[in-house]
Amino acid sequence: MVNCGLLTGLNEPVPLKSISVEVRVQDHVASVSSTLQYVNEEQRPLEALFVFPLPADAAVCHFSAKIGEQEIVAELQDKETAKDQYDDAVSSGQQAFLLEESAESPDVFRLSVGCLSPGQNAAVTIIYITELAVQADQSLRFCLPAVLNPRYTPAGSDAGIVSEISSVCGAVPYSLTLSVHVSSPKPISKLESNCTLDPLVFLCSDHTQATVNLSPGHMFDRDVELFLYYQDTHQPSAVVEAGVATAPSGSLMRNPVVMITLYPEFPEEVMSSMATQGEFVFVMDRSGSMDGMMHRGKEAQHRIESAKDTLLLLLKSLPMGCYFNIYGFGSEFESFFPKSVEYSQDTMDQALKRVMEMRADMCGTEILQPLTHIYSQPCIPEHPRQLFIFTDGEVGNTKEVLDLVKSHAHSHRCFSFGIGEGASTALITGLAREGSGHAQFITGRERMQPKAMESLRFALQPAVSNISVDWTLPEGVTAETVSPPIDVLFQGQRTLIYAQLKGKSLGGSEGSVTVKYNLNSQPVSNQLHFCIKPTEETGLVVHRLAARTIIRSLEQKERSSAESKSLRSSIVELSVQAGVSSVHTAFIGINKDTKQTVKGPLQRRRVPTYDYFEDLKCARFLPPRAKRRMPKFQLGALLRMPKFQLGALLRMPKFQFGDVLHGTGQLLAGCSSAVELTSLRYTSLGCGSIRTQEHDEERSDSRKLSSQKQTAPEPPQDMLLPLVSLQKASGCWELDAALAAVFGKTEDELTNQKPAQVDGSMWATILALIWLYSWRKEQQVEWQFVAQKAAAWIASEKVGDLSQCVCVGNVLLGCQVTKDSLGI
């Protein structure tokens, strides 16, 4: 990583002391105010840089700074003009603040705090608004990102400010306070979080308003997630917001804007017959960071291991007759098959064997190359392409990747998964948006498998076509839809529509909006009636979200258009009018009352953001060939080295470094601590090793600990994946010792109880279904398609009444399920 301008060692003071956040949730929208407390503890003027993440769809609409009793409210200006003003102000000794968005990824912002005098405090406030994502359990998710993982930059590209991200291992040296106020027309059921909260306090008897605080003492070392539950959350709604009377006539900010929230409901007869065709392409991140842990708990899996389990479940859940392929990518990429192959027992077995061999050993995170290759492959007739992308989302060319996906949106649907805290929201949500699919984030202790199976359920839903939006409004009133055309609809998933209302007589009359589309060649429509009277005190939230939607569309058009100058001008104009940040604008605030002459260069301090997996990312400094050739235990030792020690190792002559990689002289194999690894700097590897008695004792202690770890009992294994792994591609199981072991039985016990009217495979398949519905009912979302395949296979065998088999199976496995509940 590039730490430009970092002039201090690791032990010097950090100017950021605390972050205070206030969140106001109105129905489906959150307004977030973050205040950052800085202090200059040094003896000379200081410039602080703080690179931090925000939600990809956030609209930053306010930036101010308070120095003592004086508050400076920043203006939104053309970015180049703002930068010039900032540089001029700082060089002349004036206090200045600059907030700008990354040119590569809209979820990364950089805050420059210029010319803080010695001992001076500054409180910087940033306000942004964002839509809340709907989860599978119908909750609304708000995420306050804490982790900004360094973004991988492809060779030969310029990553701009993304390359300036710096991280530290361990706890961040500043704390977080968070308060939340929720108001909604629907009663609030509950509010949950991945962090400890104080009790929820309701402010009125109908439970439509409530407050809650993060418990004291929270260190901002991970994302803070809130899950908000409303009653009747699936009800469509509309908010009409009045415009600004002083805005230019005919502009977005002058007229009222309506935000429509719809939940399409597909006919039952359509949903009962899921698709059995398709080309399923799974794209798996195998970069070095995928070797990190899913979370910091005792039972955490490595990310790559969780991904392998998920691929197993997906492969077992595919319908017979479809096509599939699996890609792994890092600095390069590879595919399991030259092109997608038909799903069968043979191809599934080949794929599963390679899945079990997958490692996080492909270095960087260059996702553009595999996507380009996939799109170059011709689509298979009658088999719609469904792309599943799993990544921890640390790329530096986000917008280039999204433009590629958008250019092929007509030929596929894209389902994306952000693994772990710090995954780029801009990349993950953007892939799904441009690819007409669905985005999922797996954070904290969440498991990847349920989320993957939910997306597979969406992928198996029939594709919606010919989507149109029709408005019915009073005479003299028109609606101009400002959000992009709707490209995708899923059963029960939220759809947002923004529209500018024009006309003089809006009054309190009613209007309606109708979304029409074709589903399996039959016409379907969903309608919502709403009152046109504007809602009071919305704080221009709807206008700014609509403006952000238009700005993002214009930015994407600009990147692929010859008329970039005129588009840039339109972006800047709308951005300044709406007070919403864009890639071409920045917030600039200058305290012109401070005009002290600055003697000598400003000290520049990089404010750290937390990165739990930073030690893994040190491996990016190693040559790819070297990492592939190193034994696993040696590479692990290198990954645990502090950066400065790793740097010393890499400065060794070539022949010495080669000796380390190949383990000659048993040097690296014997290094059990950072102290010993550091001693390599002073050792001539060609002439043997020099170890002190202290080092030998450390190595001995380490070996004792290693021996203790090897003999420690392992936690009991969850038998769901072992059972699923035994299922055949057709949907049946075989009666053998492996299946019996899953049930805690012997093969003879299963065979002796088999009813005479069924063969071994039928008996085994019925037992597997009984076990799933009895002992893993709470995980049904994960095995639903496995069970459907099994039930379909049983039906195809035409055995007759299986009631006796189910009864005997219940007794054998200690269960109580009915034949009908098994779907057979």
Side-chain angles (χ1 to χ4, degrees):
M1 307 313 297
V2 182
N3 290 321
C4 304
L6 182 60
L7 303 179
T8 61
L10 297 177
N11 296 322
E12 296 197 60
V14 174
L16 181 63
K17 289 299 180 183
S18 67
I19 300 179
S20 176
V21 181
E22 293 183 5
V23 182
R24 297 191 69 86
V25 178
Q26 294 176 296
D27 204 7
H28 283 229
V29 175
S31 178
V32 185
S33 176
S34 297
T35 299
L36 315 174
Q37 292 282 352
Y38 288 90
V39 61
N40 181 6
E41 297 177 342
E42 306 198 15
Q43 301 303 312
R44 61 189 306 171
L46 172 74
E47 179 182 12
L49 295 180
F50 183 47
V51 182
F52 61 99
L54 287 179
D57 295 328
V60 178
C61 55
H62 174 88
F63 177 45
S64 62
K66 191 173 184 180
I67 311 294
E69 296 302 318
Q70 182 176 10
E71 185 174 19
I72 308 163
V73 179
E75 297 177 1
L76 192 60
Q77 298 182 5
D78 179 279
K79 182 180 285 189
E80 298 306 317
T81 303
K83 281 185 173 182
D84 290 342
Q85 288 189 23
Y86 176 81
D87 292 339
D88 291 344
V90 171
S91 62
S92 63
Q94 295 174 331
Q95 290 166 336
F97 304 84
L98 182 72
L99 179 69
E100 57 183 311
E101 177 185 310
S102 163
E104 290 75 32
S105 187
D107 64 341
V108 178
F109 281 75
R110 183 176 71 175
L111 172 62
S112 301
V113 181
C115 206
L116 274 181
S117 301
Q120 193 167 47
N121 290 274
V124 176
T125 298
I126 302 161
I127 298 178
Y128 65 89
I129 51 179
T130 185
E131 300 155 356
L132 300 182
V134 180
Q135 303 302 290
D137 62 357
Q138 311 312 323
S139 65
L140 298 177
R141 175 181 181 263
F142 167 77
C143 179
L144 185 68
V147 180
L148 182 59
N149 290 338
R151 303 293 167 86
Y152 181 81
T153 305
S157 66
D158 181 8
I161 72 167
V162 176
S163 65
E164 297 183 7
I165 296 167
S166 65
S167 303
V168 291
C169 293
V172 290
Y174 46 86
S175 60
L176 168 72
T177 59
L178 173 71
S179 64
V180 182
H181 181 279
V182 183
S183 61
S184 170
K186 306 159 189 169
I188 302 161
S189 299
K190 59 181 177 177
L191 195 151
E192 297 177 345
S193 175
N194 65 330
C195 303
T196 306
L197 300 176
D198 290 343
L200 185 68
V201 177
F202 290 103
L203 303 180
C204 50
S205 58
D206 61 1
H207 287 197
T208 56
Q209 293 191 52
T211 62
V212 70
N213 295 322
L214 192 65
S215 295
H218 178 81
M219 295 303 292
F220 202 9
D221 58 355
R222 62 187 183 277
D223 291 358
V224 177
E225 292 182 295
L226 301 175
F227 298 93
L228 179 61
Y229 295 81
Y230 293 138
Q231 293 180 23
D232 301 322
T233 188
H234 257 145
Q235 292 300 313
S237 62
V239 176
V240 180
E241 183 178 76
V244 181
T246 56
S249 179
S251 67
L252 175 74
M253 301 305 292
R254 178 67 174 267
N255 296 120
V257 172
V258 59
M259 179 177 72
I260 303 291
T261 305
L262 290 176
Y263 293 89
E265 293 294 336
F266 295 172
E268 180 62 32
E269 61 271 17
V270 174
M271 293 308 300
S272 61
S273 57
M274 303 292 274
T276 57
Q277 295 177 308
E279 179 195 9
F280 298 88
V281 181
F282 305 106
V283 183
M284 185 59 66
D285 189 343
R286 288 175 54 186
S287 62
S289 56
M290 286 291 288
D291 201 36
M293 309 303 288
M294 291 294 293
H295 57 82
R296 288 178 289 157
K298 293 182 179 179
E299 301 175 0
Q301 275 187 301
H302 289 271
R303 295 179 180 181
I304 190 66
E305 295 303 321
S306 180
K308 288 160 62 174
D309 288 348
T310 303
L311 281 176
L312 163 67
L313 201 56
L314 284 166
L315 285 172
K316 292 290 184 175
S317 300
L318 292 180
M320 289 292 287
C322 72
Y323 287 76
F324 79 100
N325 203 350
I326 299 176
Y327 285 74
F329 73 92
S331 297
E332 51 198 23
F333 72 91
E334 63 181 22
S335 60
F336 283 15
F337 305 100
K339 62 180 182 179
S340 293
V341 295
E342 186 172 355
Y343 180 74
S344 65
Q345 185 64 45
D346 181 54
T347 56
M348 184 190 75
D349 287 343
Q350 292 181 51
L352 285 174
K353 181 180 179 181
R354 295 196 61 176
V355 165
M356 294 301 105
E357 297 169 352
M358 285 174 54
R359 300 289 182 269
D361 57 359
M362 298 184 76
C363 304
T365 316
E366 298 194 25
I367 194 172
L368 196 66
Q369 297 176 15
L371 289 180
T372 302
H373 176 79
I374 291 168
Y375 293 142
S376 71
Q377 303 291 311
C379 293
I380 301 171
E382 306 301 323
H383 288 272
R385 179 171 288 169
Q386 315 279 3
L387 198 60
F388 286 68
I389 300 178
F390 298 82
T391 177
D392 53 15
E394 301 165 18
V395 303
N397 57 341
T398 299
K399 293 182 180 179
E400 189 178 0
V401 172
L402 299 186
D403 289 346
L404 176 67
V405 174
K406 184 176 179 65
S407 66
H408 292 85
H410 63 281
S411 64
H412 78 301
R413 289 195 292 190
C414 182
F415 299 87
S416 53
F417 302 84
I419 303 171
E421 293 174 345
S424 168
T425 58
L427 178 69
I428 303 305
T429 59
L431 287 169
R433 181 182 63 249
E434 306 303 347
S436 301
H438 184 68
Q440 300 270 23
F441 288 89
I442 302 101
T443 59
R445 295 178 178 271
E446 290 180 319
R447 298 175 66 250
M448 196 181 304
Q449 292 89 332
K451 303 238 174 173
M453 301 315 294
E454 182 189 9
S455 290
L456 180 61
R457 179 169 59 85
F458 288 146
L460 292 173
Q461 286 184 16
V464 172
S465 60
N466 300 326
I467 305 173
S468 65
V469 178
D470 296 333
W471 299 87
T472 303
L473 300 168
E475 187 175 352
V477 180
T478 59
E480 180 182 337
T481 304
V482 298
S483 46
I486 302 174
D487 295 322
V488 60
L489 291 174
F490 292 117
Q491 163 73 12
Q493 286 295 297
R494 182 186 63 186
T495 298
L496 287 175
I497 304 171
Y498 294 97
Q500 180 180 356
L501 299 179
K502 298 180 179 180
K504 295 183 179 179
S505 57
L506 294 178
S509 53
E510 280 199 353
S512 67
V513 61
T514 305
V515 178
K516 299 178 180 179
Y517 48 91
N518 287 341
L519 188 64
N520 274 8
S521 302
Q522 63 174 294
V524 183
S525 66
N526 295 117
Q527 188 177 58
L528 171 67
H529 294 271
F530 61 94
C531 178
I532 296 180
K533 183 181 179 181
T535 305
E536 301 293 332
E537 298 181 1
T538 55
L540 294 178
V541 167
V542 175
H543 278 77
R544 285 172 170 153
L545 287 174
R548 181 224 48 203
T549 300
I550 299 172
I551 287 169
R552 293 292 183 239
S553 296
L554 290 174
E555 286 174 348
Q556 189 166 60
K557 190 182 296 183
E558 179 195 19
R559 294 194 294 271
S560 59
S561 173
E563 303 176 1
S564 56
K565 285 188 177 181
S566 62
L567 287 170
R568 187 187 192 281
S569 177
S570 299
I571 292 169
V572 171
E573 181 181 7
L574 179 56
S575 175
V576 172
Q577 280 185 10
V580 172
S581 63
S582 73
V583 72
H584 295 309
T585 53
F587 285 95
I588 174 74
I590 299 174
N591 183 3
K592 298 181 180 179
D593 292 340
T594 57
K595 295 183 179 179
Q596 301 173 354
T597 302
V598 179
K599 296 180 180 179
L602 283 173
Q603 295 287 330
R604 176 169 291 188
R605 298 289 181 263
R606 184 81 47 199
V607 179
T609 53
Y610 179 81
D611 182 8
Y612 182 66
F613 304 109
E614 174 66 16
D615 52 347
L616 280 176
K617 295 181 179 66
C618 293
R620 289 180 181 160
F621 291 94
L622 294 177
R625 181 181 298 176
K627 282 200 290 187
R628 286 196 294 269
R629 293 169 63 186
M630 291 181 70
K632 193 172 184 182
F633 70 92
Q634 296 178 358
L635 179 59
L638 280 182
L639 297 185
R640 289 189 292 273
M641 293 180 71
K643 271 187 181 177
F644 71 94
Q645 295 173 356
L646 181 58
L649 186 63
L650 296 179
R651 287 192 291 273
M652 294 171 124
K654 243 182 192 178
F655 75 93
Q656 296 177 356
F657 185 55
D659 286 342
V660 174
L661 298 187
H662 297 343
T664 57
Q666 301 300 308
L667 251 183
L668 194 55
C671 290
S672 58
S673 69
V675 176
E676 283 190 279
L677 288 166
T678 307
S679 72
L680 289 173
R681 290 180 292 174
Y682 310 109
T683 305
S684 172
L685 296 183
C687 302
S689 64
I690 302 173
R691 290 200 310 270
T692 66
Q693 181 179 358
E694 179 183 17
H695 292 165
D696 287 331
E697 290 172 354
E698 288 180 2
R699 183 175 62 168
S700 176
D701 291 342
S702 176
R703 286 176 176 172
K704 289 178 182 177
L705 289 172
S706 176
S707 175
Q708 291 172 3
K709 289 180 181 178
Q710 290 175 1
T711 58
E714 295 184 359
Q717 185 182 10
D718 180 10
M719 300 309 293
L720 174 59
L721 285 177
L723 175 68
V724 171
S725 68
L726 297 174
Q727 188 185 34
K728 300 297 182 181
S730 62
C732 70
W733 275 266
E734 290 185 352
L735 189 62
D736 55 22
L739 181 66
V742 171
F743 302 146
K745 306 287 183 181
T746 65
E747 186 177 358
D748 286 344
E749 286 179 287
L750 264 58
T751 303
N752 293 338
Q753 295 295 321
K754 182 181 73 67
Q757 72 266 32
V758 295
D759 62 15
S761 294
M762 180 64 67
W763 177 230
T765 304
I766 293 173
L767 289 176
L769 283 178
I770 292 173
W771 189 89
L772 286 171
Y773 279 95
S774 295
W775 301 112
R776 289 296 180 272
K777 184 70 174 178
E778 74 283 356
Q779 293 176 253
Q780 188 168 355
V781 67
E782 298 181 43
W783 50 262
Q784 57 183 316
F785 298 113
V786 167
Q788 286 179 18
K789 286 175 66 174
W793 178 84
I794 290 173
S796 68
E797 295 296 296
K798 300 178 181 178
V799 173
D801 188 17
L802 297 173
S803 299
Q804 182 191 358
C805 292
V806 175
C807 290
V808 176
N810 276 325
V811 173
L812 178 63
L813 300 180
C815 304
Q816 293 180 346
V817 297
T818 64
K819 183 171 76 74
D820 291 341
S821 67
L822 301 180
I824 59 176

